């Protein structure tokens, strides 16, 4: 629609003063661009003659135009109305206070949901990064050892290899090459001797409270000091039952499987590098199988019937490492240790060393003493104290599944290090006064 200059008719003019006033009014209001509604002077059907071209802001409505049915110039611009939509925009109803509140609530809910999802994704990503870091570091260290430290160990192994090989051949000759005797000696007798020698020393300290150079490193102060003799005898009887009627038959059944997988009693011992690789795989397999089997027996249906026996000791001692229900001893104690050697078809010498290391590790984890220069038992000791934390051996899967969050908030987590001094960690990192009481 055009505005013609010098349109004749009553009042159809646009003075400079009016234009100036329009600009001034628009500048004062600050709500719209300075524009003028182009209204023709005298045109039929547009509300009658004598209408003047008034300077105003966009969006003003004329009451006369509304009464006469005039479209109102894009949403009804005319004199006396407020600022409306810009040309080309459709009119929309202004949001009410209630609509704004609903929209705000929906936005808050969406942000809350999105935040929780991002938090879960971030937690999973952190766990994956931690696992990747541990595994990657292990591989790098293995590669470094292979090129440096293991070279020296290999030299030692090579220098003493003839010695160990000669001793092994003497054992084979002594047992007349009997594979049953050789296999059971390495997988049942030797690990059992290691178990009872180590835990025998600890039982002396548990039962008498002496010597002080062991008992001063007790984790849960004031408990098992000394241990109840009747309770200790019951634990010893249960362990012997598990070793004789569960572990030994499993080793008897394992030999045919190992002979099918390889030559477990061959005259040639494995190389040092292969043995290190075997230990790495054994440890990884044990961590996975033990963690999930352990969490399984913590299910309410299984805990009451099976695993509760092991948790009778909220402050464990070394011999309690094998104090368990026979079903648990079979599936949670023994199978995680044996699956790795079965997969690799390992030599009986490798299996013997692996079982001895595993038995020493679990005995230390249950011993109740944080002794100098030995692996920290704080992780599993806290599991016996709280029941629903710290299920694994290494702690990798606990980090991944978030089953160590409570443990990380305690003083026990600060003490979960290898003690490199003679000062007990309960003295250097004591519990808070409330917990001490």
């Amino acid at each position: 629609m055009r505005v013609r200059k010098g349109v004749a008719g009553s009042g159809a003019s646009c003075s400079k003063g009016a234009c100036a006033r329009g600009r001034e009014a628009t500048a004062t209001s600050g709500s719209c661009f300075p524009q003028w509604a182009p209204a023709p002077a005298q045109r039929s059907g547009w509300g009658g003659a004598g209408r003047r071209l008034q300077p105003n802001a966009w969006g003003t409505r004329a009451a006369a135009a509304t009464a006469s049915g005039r479209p109102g110039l894009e949403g009804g611009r005319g004199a006396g109305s407020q600022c409306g939509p810009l040309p080309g925009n459709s009119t929309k109803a202004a949001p009410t206070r209630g609509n704004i509140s609903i929209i705000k609530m929906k936005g808050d809910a969406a942000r809350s949901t999105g935040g929780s999802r991002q938090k879960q994704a971030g937690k999973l990503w952190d766990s994956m990064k931690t696992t990747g870091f541990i595994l990657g570091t292990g591989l790098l260290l293995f590669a470094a050892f292979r090129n440096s430290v293991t070279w020296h160990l290999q030299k030692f192994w090579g220098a003493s290899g003839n010695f160990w090989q000669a001793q092994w051949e003497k054992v084979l000759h002594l047992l007349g090459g009997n594979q049953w005797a050789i296999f059971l000696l390495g997988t049942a007798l030797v690990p059992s001797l290691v178990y009872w020698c180590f835990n025998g020393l600890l039982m002396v300290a548990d039962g008498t409270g002496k010597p002080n150079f062991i008992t001063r490193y007790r984790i849960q102060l004031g408990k098992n000091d000394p241990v109840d003799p009747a309770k200790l005898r019951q634990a010893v009887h249960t362990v012997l039952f598990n070793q004789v009627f569960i572990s030994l038959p499993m080793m008897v059944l394992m030999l045919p499987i190992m002979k099918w997988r390889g030559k477990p009693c061959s005259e040639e011992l494995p190389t040092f590098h292969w043995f290190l690789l075997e230990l790495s795989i054994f440890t990884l397999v044990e961590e996975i199988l033990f963690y999930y089997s352990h969490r399984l027996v913590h299910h309410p249906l299984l805990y009451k019937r099976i695993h509760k026996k092991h948790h009778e000791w909220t402050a464990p001692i070394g011999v309690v490492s094998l104090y368990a229900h026979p079903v648990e001893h079979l599936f949670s104690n023994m199978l995680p240790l044996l699956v790795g050697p079965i997969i690799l078809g390992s030599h009986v010498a490798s299996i013997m060393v692996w079982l001895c290391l595993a038995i020493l590790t679990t005995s230390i984890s249950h011993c109740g003493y944080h002794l100098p220069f030995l692996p920290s038992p704080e992780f599993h000791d806290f599991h016996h104290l709280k029941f629903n934390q710290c299920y694994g051996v290494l702690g990798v899967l606990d980090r991944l599944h978030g089953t160590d969050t409570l443990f990380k908030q305690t003083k026990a987590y600060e003490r979960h290090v290898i003690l490199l001094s003679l000062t007990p960690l309960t003295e250097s990192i004591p519990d808070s006064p409330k917990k001490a009481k």
Side-chain angles (χ1 to χ4, degrees), residues 71-354:
L73 295 178
E74 293 295 328
R77 288 185 295 273
S81 67
Q82 297 299 321
C83 179
L86 293 174
N89 292 346
S90 61
T91 59
K92 295 182 179 179
T96 64
R97 183 176 299 176
N99 291 340
I100 293 175
S101 299
I102 294 174
I103 293 172
K104 185 177 180 181
M105 291 172 63
K106 290 182 178 179
D108 293 340
R111 284 192 295 271
S112 177
T113 304
S116 61
R117 290 178 179 175
Q118 291 178 357
K119 188 175 181 180
Q120 292 176 357
K123 184 177 180 181
L124 178 61
W125 175 241
D126 290 341
S127 300
M128 293 175 63
K129 288 193 296 184
T130 303
T131 305
F133 173 78
I134 293 174
L135 295 178
T137 303
L139 291 175
L140 289 176
L141 289 175
F142 177 76
F145 282 157
R146 181 180 179 86
N147 295 325
S148 58
V149 178
T150 53
W151 182 83
H152 297 284
L153 293 175
Q154 181 68 27
K155 295 288 288 184
F156 168 76
W157 185 271
S160 60
N162 293 333
F163 170 78
W164 293 113
Q165 184 66 43
Q167 301 307 311
W168 176 245
E169 290 176 357
K170 288 181 179 180
V171 172
L172 294 178
H173 179 73
L174 179 65
L175 298 177
N178 188 323
Q179 293 190 8
W180 285 101
I182 296 170
F183 190 81
L184 293 179
L185 173 68
T187 60
L189 183 58
V190 173
S192 296
L193 289 175
V194 171
Y195 173 86
W196 286 111
C197 288
F198 182 77
N199 285 290
L201 176 62
L202 292 178
M203 281 193 292
V204 172
D206 295 330
T208 63
K210 299 177 182 179
N212 185 58
F213 70 82
I214 292 180
T215 58
R216 66 193 298 256
Y217 296 101
R218 192 184 306 277
I219 297 174
Q220 298 187 37
L221 300 177
K223 296 184 178 181
N224 295 330
D225 191 17
V227 70
D228 182 9
K231 196 175 180 182
L232 180 59
R233 284 194 298 270
Q234 180 190 8
V236 170
H237 293 161
T238 301
V239 171
L240 289 172
F241 177 88
N242 287 336
Q243 287 181 326
V244 174
F245 295 101
I246 303 296
S247 298
L248 183 59
M250 288 187 70
M251 297 306 172
V252 173
L253 295 175
M254 187 180 177
L255 179 57
I257 299 175
M258 297 304 299
K259 292 172 69 175
W260 170 68
R261 293 287 297 127
K263 296 180 179 180
C265 302
S266 62
E267 294 183 1
E268 185 177 358
L269 293 174
T271 63
F272 184 70
H273 285 150
W274 175 250
F275 175 66
L276 289 181
L277 179 61
E278 284 183 314
L279 285 182
S280 303
I281 296 175
F282 295 165
T283 304
L284 181 61
V285 172
E286 184 203 14
E287 171 71 7
I288 295 173
L289 295 182
F290 180 77
Y291 178 86
Y292 290 111
S293 63
H294 192 184
R295 287 201 68 177
L296 180 63
V297 295
H298 270 269
H299 187 277
L301 294 178
L302 297 178
Y303 180 83
K304 183 184 297 185
R305 296 173 174 82
I306 296 176
H307 194 51
K308 186 177 181 180
K309 185 179 186 66
H310 184 69
H311 274 283
E312 291 173 1
W313 293 77
T314 55
I317 60 176
V319 73
V320 173
S321 56
L322 298 184
Y323 176 75
H325 189 280
V327 174
E328 179 184 355
H329 183 70
L330 171 64
F331 289 101
S332 192
N333 290 345
M334 296 301 297
L335 279 182
L337 297 178
L338 301 181
V339 170
I342 291 175
I343 293 175
L344 297 181
S346 300
H347 193 278
V348 65
S350 299
I351 301 173
M352 178 183 68
V353 176
W354 160 242

